[in-house]
Amino acid sequence: MGIRFVIQFLIAALAFASFTSAACAEDGYDLWLRYNPIEQSLRAKYVGHARGIVVERSSPTIQAAVNELERGLSAMLGRSIGRTALRDGAVVLVTGRQIPGIGNEGYVIRSARLRGHAVTLISAKSDVGALYGAFAFLRLIQTRQDLAHLDIADAPKLPLRMLNHWDNLDRTVERGYAGPSIWDWASLPTIDQRYVDYARANASIGINAVVLNNVNADPKILTPEYLTKVAALANVFRPFCIRVYLTARFSSPIQVGGLATADPLDPTVKAWWRAKADEIYRLIPDFGGFLIKANSEGQPGPWDYKRTQANGANVIADALAPHGGTVLWRAFVYGNSKEDRAKQAYDEFRSLDGKFRSNVIVQVKNGPIDFQPREPFHPLFGQMPHTRIGIEVQLTREYLGQTDGVVFLAPMWTEALDSDPCSPRCGRPVKATIAAMAGVSNIGSNRGWTATKFDQANWYAFGRLAWNPSLSPKQIAGEWTRMTWDNDPRAVKPIVTTMLGSREAVVDYMTPLGLAHQFQDDHHYGPAPWSCGAKEPSWNPCYYNKADAGGIGFDRTATGSNAAGQYAPQVARCFADLNCVAAKDLLWFHHLPWTYRMHDGQTLWASLIERYDRGVAQVETNERNWAELRPYIDSQRFASVSSDLHRQVLEAWWWRDASIAYWQSLSKLPLPPGHSPPAHPLSWYQAVRFDRVPGFLAPRIDPRTLCVAGRGGSSCAQ
Ligand code: GCV
């Protein structure tokens, strides 16, 4: 028995062992890379196209591709698949090929004949192209595609596809709901297998950059002690062609460097950033660069020295330029003027178009406020033609229920990517104007990585959309479902249907018709449309709803803040015109009487109530549909999703009832027939408080508050 045979036997045994343990108890750790065994009836068909792996040459990245093919094919085919000499049915990886149309990172997968053998050829220009091709080939099998006549060419549409972790050095995660940070700074530079699996998962969907730490940055990250730890992570990610980026606090020259100033035009500050960049590149030769939040929510920035945002970005960009590094400079600034918050980023950045260095990307959130369940697209898109722009979306569900139920975010991101800013002309959607897509990570050290099992889908969808922003949410949901749950159409169809309707359901039961930011306190969990006490006006729900006895909504037309006027004329005209603006954006742009007649003849009041109830009904349907899926899902994950969905139903009722109770206290209108009154009086919802969030199951309610036993499931004060 040769050593090769023994190794192959061990791989097969390991694959089998991981399958059997997964079948008993799946905890979600394997994500969409489960590689569960193919049904016996189909197996022979696939084995014929995966008899072994042939590579021309090796490198750490090619080795990562081979490892993944061995792991995935062996597990799915139930036999050991390893390297082989050229033969029929081989999977052949070739690199260094000049293939038109696929750039540096793309690949081609073709059924071909090679020296007389029928093989599947995965060819690419670069090693990373071959790695992406290997994952794509595995995905074909995972989703049960026919491998007989393959002719696929694919390449990323955006060069920079990056996760942004909001992870602090003490392992807390800002807006993180998936346990402590996965970066264990205390034990680094010791490497945990989890870091490798994280890199595999990212590479499998084309993510090629990660920012390790929070945009509210701790300057310590730039000290030698931490940089050594960062370098250890970079070493793990390098074979997967994932570049490490860091956030840097703008005042680091003072806090880390001991300088008296962080003024970006000061020569000592320039020299400090240059020296710091040189130091980092000595440790991490492929370091990606810095992501910076400046002059926002208390962070220091160039305005502290009366310099522009461009001055601030450029001093750091100049330090990185000799090494090929990039600055991601966030456009998320507000609170420095009394203007409508939705206008402030545009007001600050638009006039700086063309003033940023070529290695700066201005990172713009998908909407003008802050990752609300629905916002119109950000007015900066398309309007800074001489600046590289990146879009930032949020995977972690800060404003969308945090840890409850199912909320698939691809439809929300696609809405922004497909929007047409009509600047400089119509017909060029946001996705055609951007150089990067960044996603605020939802990953933590939970065994299943994310807060809920379905939040894994948002990680997956983010990578797939950053690779190709034209992919449809339906295709992405279908792929993910087949890889993560089951290929049986009786499971795939209802799961995909649930996913595709899930974001709209949240919009309906939280903030329908263009409402936004109706959340409790700073934790952004639960409804508080009445709330008006925060010191920063734009942290208050009342700032956004402007509701009173006369009506509801924010007038952003020329009679109000004129935020609509920041968009290109065709877009602005439509947003400002009640005959053109879509119902979904109505109250974002208009303040209207409760009795306003919608296009369908209903009053605004009736339309609002109908949407709240539609959202609740949708999540109730989702819960029922999931219950039918028991035969297709392992018990552990089935139970976990059941409980998440149940909590979402309770939360949807809470949102619906609290919101309606408040609006009704202002409008004084009766509920339209067929819609039930809130379970509790308004005072009950106003008395709900939390010591910890998310914490629906343990709200604190003032015992003196009136209580009516409720259908929403929440009990009164204990
Ligand atoms: C990292 C919102 C969040 C903050 C976050 C900020 C940002 O305001 O609530 O937690 O800070 O966005 O994007 O910088």
Side-chain angles (χ1 to χ4, degrees):
M1 198 180 344
I3 185 76
R4 193 185 180 87
F5 179 81
V6 174
I7 291 171
Q8 291 190 354
F9 176 79
L10 284 175
I11 290 172
L14 274 175
F16 181 71
S18 78
F19 159 61
T20 45
S21 61
C24 310
E26 289 212 44
D27 54 19
Y29 183 84
D30 292 333
L31 295 162
W32 48 89
L33 302 176
R34 283 163 74 233
Y35 303 130
N36 54 325
I38 298 175
E39 310 74 77
Q40 278 297 348
S41 56
L42 295 177
R43 209 173 280 187
K45 200 171 113 187
Y46 285 102
V47 169
H49 297 288
R51 294 200 183 279
I53 301 151
V54 177
V55 289
E56 290 175 322
R57 44 170 276 278
S58 198
S59 73
T61 300
I62 294 291
Q63 193 51 50
V66 170
N67 291 348
E68 199 68 32
L69 286 169
E70 286 182 353
R71 172 201 284 255
L73 295 174
S74 301
M76 287 192 285
L77 299 173
R79 64 183 65 191
S80 158
I81 309 286
R83 287 211 194 180
T84 173
L86 189 61
R87 56 181 293 194
D88 282 348
V91 179
V92 183
L93 289 181
V94 293
T95 52
R97 302 299 191 269
Q98 292 301 335
I99 306 167
I102 61 160
N104 272 335
E105 295 178 289
Y107 58 81
V108 167
I109 308 178
R110 251 182 336 113
S111 308
R113 289 202 78 79
L114 199 63
R115 296 200 282 281
H117 294 285
V119 300
T120 301
L121 207 53
I122 302 178
S123 19
K125 181 171 176 197
S126 62
D127 291 358
V128 73
L131 178 66
Y132 292 151
F135 277 113
F137 178 68
L138 288 165
R139 185 160 60 231
L140 293 173
I141 305 179
Q142 288 174 283
T143 55
R144 306 292 185 268
Q145 310 297 306
D146 188 359
L147 301 185
H149 307 286
L150 295 175
D151 189 6
I152 297 169
D154 201 5
K157 303 282 182 285
L158 300 176
L160 189 55
R161 310 174 293 277
M162 68 172 359
L163 277 180
N164 292 182
H165 286 262
W166 284 357
D167 295 17
N168 299 313
L169 302 185
D170 62 2
R171 294 192 78 186
T172 56
V173 180
E174 183 150 351
R175 312 304 177 186
Y177 313 106
S181 166
I182 58 170
W183 317 128
D184 185 352
W185 294 105
S187 68
L188 276 163
T190 301
I191 294 306
D192 188 312
Q193 174 61 29
R194 205 176 167 89
Y195 303 147
V196 181
D197 291 332
Y198 166 87
R200 286 176 48 233
N202 280 329
S204 77
I205 47 178
I207 289 172
N208 64 355
V210 299
V211 184
L212 298 178
N213 57 324
N214 191 354
V215 286
N216 293 327
D218 185 331
K220 278 204 299 290
I221 193 71
L222 296 186
T223 59
E225 183 195 354
Y226 276 92
L227 290 175
T228 313
K229 294 165 187 271
V230 172
L233 287 172
N235 292 343
V236 174
F237 300 159
R238 192 163 297 115
F240 299 92
C241 297
I242 296 168
R243 291 175 81 175
V244 163
Y245 289 66
L246 294 174
T247 61
R249 195 170 160 87
F250 192 76
S251 53
S252 297
I254 301 172
Q255 284 144 324
V256 180
L259 302 187
T261 177
D263 179 351
L265 300 192
D266 185 293
T268 61
V269 172
K270 289 184 187 181
W272 186 85
W273 281 111
R274 243 179 281 125
K276 186 49 75 178
D278 295 347
E279 176 192 344
I280 295 176
Y281 279 93
R282 277 194 297 276
L283 284 167
I284 310 167
D286 56 352
F287 179 65
F290 293 119
L291 167 66
I292 315 256
K293 170 175 177 177
N295 295 121
S296 168
E297 299 184 333
Q299 295 298 308
W303 291 342
D304 305 347
Y305 306 94
K306 305 213 176 343
R307 310 299 186 195
T308 68
Q309 294 283 314
N311 295 145
N314 291 344
V315 65
I316 304 175
D318 288 344
L320 294 171
H323 306 283
T326 303
V327 171
L328 284 304
W329 190 267
R330 296 178 89 222
F332 179 68
V333 294
Y334 69 95
N336 305 292
S337 91
K338 299 231 173 314
E339 254 304 355
D340 174 2
R341 173 167 161 187
K343 295 179 71 177
Q344 293 184 31
Y346 177 99
D347 285 347
E348 300 298 349
F349 277 81
R350 173 80 170 85
S351 59
L352 296 176
D353 186 27
K355 302 232 160 52
F356 292 92
R357 299 281 192 263
S358 59
N359 62 332
V360 175
I361 295 179
V362 173
Q363 186 164 303
V364 179
K365 289 191 180 184
N366 59 288
I369 300 286
D370 192 12
F371 302 135
Q372 297 304 297
R374 169 162 280 129
E375 298 188 34
F377 66 93
H378 201 295
L380 281 174
F381 291 122
Q383 303 217 64
M384 293 184 70
H386 307 293
T387 306
R388 293 166 77 208
I389 298 289
I391 188 171
E392 178 179 317
V393 299
Q394 195 183 46
L395 284 58
T396 190
R397 289 190 283 126
E398 174 180 356
Y399 296 100
L400 288 102
Q402 304 186 355
T403 61
D404 69 0
V406 172
V407 188
F408 180 52
L409 298 172
M412 169 161 151
W413 303 332
T414 301
E415 200 168 279
L417 291 164
D418 287 346
S419 294
D420 190 344
C422 281
S423 179
R425 55 178 192 287
C426 293
R428 215 166 149 253
V430 168
K431 65 189 171 196
T433 68
I434 51 177
M437 186 156 170
V440 179
S441 151
N442 60 355
I443 298 158
S445 59
N446 275 1
R447 178 71 191 157
W449 300 90
T450 51
T452 73
K453 302 290 177 274
F454 270 85
D455 281 312
Q456 296 179 356
N458 292 327
W459 181 5
Y460 182 83
F462 168 73
R464 296 290 284 141
L465 278 175
W467 176 276
N468 181 359
S470 294
L471 288 179
S472 74
K474 186 171 179 192
Q475 176 181 338
I476 296 170
E479 285 174 4
W480 177 80
T481 299
R482 287 168 176 277
M483 293 192 281
T484 307
W485 300 103
D486 202 291
N487 266 289
D488 189 320
R490 287 168 298 181
V492 174
K493 199 160 176 261
I495 293 177
V496 169
T497 306
T498 294
M499 289 170 76
L500 293 180
S502 59
R503 178 275 187 139
E504 203 59 39
V506 176
V507 172
D508 279 345
Y509 69 68
M510 282 189 184
T511 48
L513 289 174
L515 289 172
H517 220 305
Q518 298 302 294
F519 300 86
Q520 269 200 10
D521 300 338
D522 175 47
H523 53 60
H524 301 155
Y525 179 69
W530 49 81
S531 183
C532 221
K535 67 172 187 320
E536 159 60 42
S538 76
W539 290 344
N540 285 313
C542 68
Y543 174 91
Y544 296 96
N545 64 49
K546 306 253 184 284
D548 58 21
I552 182 169
F554 199 130
D555 182 2
R556 293 194 165 103
T557 69
T559 53
S561 78
N562 202 21
Q566 290 185 330
Y567 292 89
Q570 297 93 316
V571 181
R573 263 198 304 277
C574 184
F575 282 151
D577 178 358
L578 281 169
N579 289 315
C580 185
V581 66
K584 68 182 172 61
D585 297 322
L586 188 64
L587 301 177
W588 185 280
F589 287 109
H590 297 270
H591 182 84
L592 296 168
W594 298 102
T595 51
Y596 169 78
R597 286 274 160 207
M598 307 282 287
H599 294 312
D600 63 5
Q602 269 191 325
T603 61
L604 171 61
W605 173 245
S607 201
L608 259 184
I609 306 296
E610 190 179 281
R611 280 170 168 79
Y612 283 114
D613 274 336
R614 190 170 74 183
V616 171
Q618 184 60 55
V619 293
E620 287 184 336
T621 304
N622 293 349
E623 188 185 22
R624 277 195 304 275
N625 289 348
W626 181 258
E628 304 285 312
L629 291 171
R630 189 186 288 274
Y632 309 101
I633 311 286
D634 60 283
S635 55
Q636 190 174 347
R637 291 189 304 161
F638 179 81
S640 141
V641 174
S642 301
S643 117
D644 294 337
L645 282 168
H646 184 63
R647 197 151 50 80
Q648 189 174 24
V649 169
L650 301 182
E651 290 184 10
W653 274 114
W654 173 33
W655 267 95
R656 180 257 185 216
D657 284 354
S659 307
I660 291 179
Y662 180 59
W663 306 139
Q664 199 170 25
S665 77
L666 302 173
S667 77
K668 311 279 187 230
L669 291 169
L671 289 180
H675 298 274
S676 53
H680 305 285
L682 175 60
S683 55
W684 186 86
Y685 299 103
Q686 290 176 321
V688 172
R689 283 281 169 279
F690 294 94
D691 292 326
R692 297 171 65 83
V693 292
F696 180 80
L697 299 177
R700 215 163 10 91
I701 300 158
D702 185 333
R704 288 159 302 181
T705 307
L706 270 177
C707 177
V708 182
R711 170 206 54 224
S714 49
S715 57
C716 294
Q718 291 123 46

